C-alpha cells in the first residue's frame, strides 16, 4: 500500500471532471517526449472527492437501457461506478500516477451495496488508488470508490487493474483439458457490435479498444471488446429480481469478450454466475453474490 490512511491528502473538487480532456491527456502521455516522467514505484497519496453529486434521470434511463436494467428510481448496483468514473480517470491520468492509462487491464471488480440507493439522494463520491503489488504478469493495484449519503457509506467499489510487464518468472500455461466445464446456460445472449459505443456513451469510458477495430488491433485484439463493467452490469440486470437489499458482488474478468459475439449466461442457486463463449465454453466473466446479513 502506498501510505497510511492518515497520510493521505484529500483533494475536494467543485464538480466531476469532464472525461474528454482526460482521455486527451492520456493520449499525450503515450507520445514520446511529451509525457511527464513517471515514478513507477508508488501510487499517489491522494483521495479525490466531489460532494453533492446528483443523478440525471435521463442519463440513468439511458444507462438502464444499455445494460438491461428495468427503469426504476433505485440505482442499479453498478451505476455509482459510472458516477465515480470521471474521478478515477482524473486520478489515473495525473502526471504523478505511475502508469499510463492506456494499456491498463481491468481484471476484477468488487461492489458492496449496503442498502438500496434512491436516485433522488445526492451522493458524496471519493476515489483513491491503493496496494501496488507484484503480479505474475506485471503489477496490479486497486482503485477504491466510495459513495456516501451524508455520513452514511451506502456503496463501495474496488476495481483491480493490471499493468502488463515483462517478468522473469514464466507463466504456468493451463491445459485446455483442465478447464472446468461451464454450467448449463440460463440464457443465451447476442451481444451486438455497437455495445461498445453504446456503453461508452452512457459510462464515459471511451477507451478505443471498445469502439475501434484499429485501436483494438493495436493492443492485440482482432476486433473491439466489450467493457468489463458492461458485462458485469448485464449479468446483474439478469439477476435483479433475486438480489437482496445488501450484498457484495465479486467478478473476475477472465477473457476479453469480442464484439459482436454470442454468450451463454449462467446463474446458480448458490449465487454464482458467469458469461461464457456460447460455442467454446471459455469464460469471459465469473462472479459471485454474497448477501450481507442484517
Amino acid at each position: 500500500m502506498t501510505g497510511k490512511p492518515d497520510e493521505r491528502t484529500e483533494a475536494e473538487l467543485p464538480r466531476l471532471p469532464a472525461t474528454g480532456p482526460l482521455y486527451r491527456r492520456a493520449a499525450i502521455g503515450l507520445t514520446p517526449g511529451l509525457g511527464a516522467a513517471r515514478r513507477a514505484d508508488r501510487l499517489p497519496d491522494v483521495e479525490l472527492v466531489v460532494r453533492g453529486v446528483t443523478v440525471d434521470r435521463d442519463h440513468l434511463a439511458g444507462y438502464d437501457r444499455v445494460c438491461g436494467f428495468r427503469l426504476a428510481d433505485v440505482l442499479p448496483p453498478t451505476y455509482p461506478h459510472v458516477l465515480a468514473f470521471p474521478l478515477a480517470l482524473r486520478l489515473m491520468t495525473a502526471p504523478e500516477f505511475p502508469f499510463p492509462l492506456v494499456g491498463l487491464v481491468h481484471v476484477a471488480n468488487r461492489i458492496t451495496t449496503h442498502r438500496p440507493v434512491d436516485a433522488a439522494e445526492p451522493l458524496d463520491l471519493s476515489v483513491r488508488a491503493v496496494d501496488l503489488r507484484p503480479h505474475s504478469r506485471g503489477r496490479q493495484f486497486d482503485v477504491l470508490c466510495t459513495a456516501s449519503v451524508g455520513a452514511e457509506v451506502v456503496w463501495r467499489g474496488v476495481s483491480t487493474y493490471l499493468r502488463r510487464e515483462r517478468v522473469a518468472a514464466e507463466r504456468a500455461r493451463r491445459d485446455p483439458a483442465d478447464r472446468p466445464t461451464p454450467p448449463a446456460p440460463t440464457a443465451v445472449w447476442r451481444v451486438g457490435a455497437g455495445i461498445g459505443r453504446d456503453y461508452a456513451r452512457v459510462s464515459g469510458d471511451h477507451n478505443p479498444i471498445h469502439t475501434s477495430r484499429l485501436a483494438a488491433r493495436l493492443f492485440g485484439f482482432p476486433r473491439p471488446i466489450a467493457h468489463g463493467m458492461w458485462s458485469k452490469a448485464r449479468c446483474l440486470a439478469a439477476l435483479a429480481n433475486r438480489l437482496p437489499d445488501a450484498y457484495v458482488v465479486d467478478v473476475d474478468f477472465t477473457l476479453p469478450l469480442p464484439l459482436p459475439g454470442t454468450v451463454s449466461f449462467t446463474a446458480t442457486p448458490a449465487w454464482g454466475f458467469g458469461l461464457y463463449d456460447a460455442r467454446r465454453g471459455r469464460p469471459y466473466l465469473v462472479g459471485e453474490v454474497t448477501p450481507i446479513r442484517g
Side-chain angles (χ1 to χ4, degrees):
M1 198 161 166
T2 61
K4 297 177 182 179
D6 56 2
E7 295 174 344
R8 192 171 302 277
T9 301
E10 181 180 294
E12 184 171 341
L13 306 181
R15 65 187 66 84
L16 291 172
T19 58
L22 297 175
Y23 273 108
R24 288 192 287 274
R25 179 193 294 178
I28 291 172
L30 290 177
T31 305
L34 294 182
R38 296 177 183 273
R39 182 175 176 178
D41 61 344
R42 63 177 299 165
L43 296 165
D45 290 319
V46 63
E47 182 172 23
L48 301 182
V49 178
V50 175
R51 304 189 191 280
V53 176
T54 57
V55 172
D56 181 297
R57 297 301 182 109
D58 290 337
H59 180 266
L60 174 60
Y63 178 87
D64 288 341
R65 293 186 183 99
V66 169
C67 298
F69 292 103
R70 66 182 181 86
L71 301 184
D73 289 330
V74 174
L75 299 185
T78 47
Y79 191 73
H81 174 92
V82 168
L83 288 179
F85 181 73
L87 277 183
L89 199 60
R90 169 76 172 265
L91 180 73
M92 292 191 288
T93 55
E96 63 270 21
F97 204 78
F99 310 117
L101 176 71
V102 179
L104 293 177
V105 182
H106 193 182
V107 294
N109 179 266
R110 163 176 284 196
I111 284 173
T112 302
T113 297
H114 291 286
R115 66 162 174 82
V117 180
D118 193 276
E121 296 181 277
L123 298 174
D124 297 339
L125 302 176
S126 66
V127 168
R128 58 193 174 105
V130 300
D131 198 13
L132 180 61
R133 56 200 185 272
H135 185 275
S136 60
R137 290 178 289 171
R139 283 177 290 173
Q140 64 182 18
F141 61 91
D142 298 328
V143 174
L144 309 185
C145 301
T146 301
S148 303
V149 176
E152 178 192 12
V153 174
V154 295
W155 181 95
R156 294 183 190 274
V158 182
S159 293
T160 301
Y161 291 92
L162 171 67
R163 165 68 174 179
R164 287 176 175 165
E165 297 171 341
R166 293 181 178 178
V167 292
E170 291 187 5
R171 285 186 293 161
R173 293 188 176 273
R174 189 174 188 178
D175 190 315
D178 295 335
R179 185 181 297 137
T181 302
T186 304
V188 175
W189 300 332
R190 177 65 177 171
V191 183
I195 199 64
R197 294 186 297 273
D198 291 342
Y199 187 78
R201 174 174 47 81
V202 297
S203 69
D205 186 349
H206 292 278
N207 188 327
I209 63 172
H210 304 299
T211 58
S212 164
R213 183 178 291 270
L214 176 60
R217 285 178 175 174
L218 288 174
F219 285 92
F221 305 108
R223 57 188 193 268
I225 60 173
H227 295 75
M229 288 305 294
W230 175 85
S231 300
K232 180 172 185 175
R234 184 66 186 87
C235 291
L236 291 177
L239 296 171
N241 61 344
R242 294 178 50 195
L243 294 174
D245 284 345
Y247 56 92
V248 179
V249 54
D250 288 283
V251 299
D252 290 324
F253 303 117
T254 52
L255 287 173
L257 195 171
L259 300 174
T262 302
V263 298
S264 297
F265 168 70
T266 67
T268 70
W271 293 103
F273 63 92
L275 279 183
Y276 298 85
D277 184 311
R279 185 164 61 91
R280 299 179 182 177
R282 299 179 304 176
Y284 297 127
L285 173 156
V286 291
E288 183 179 22
V289 175
T290 304
I292 298 175
R293 306 300 179 186

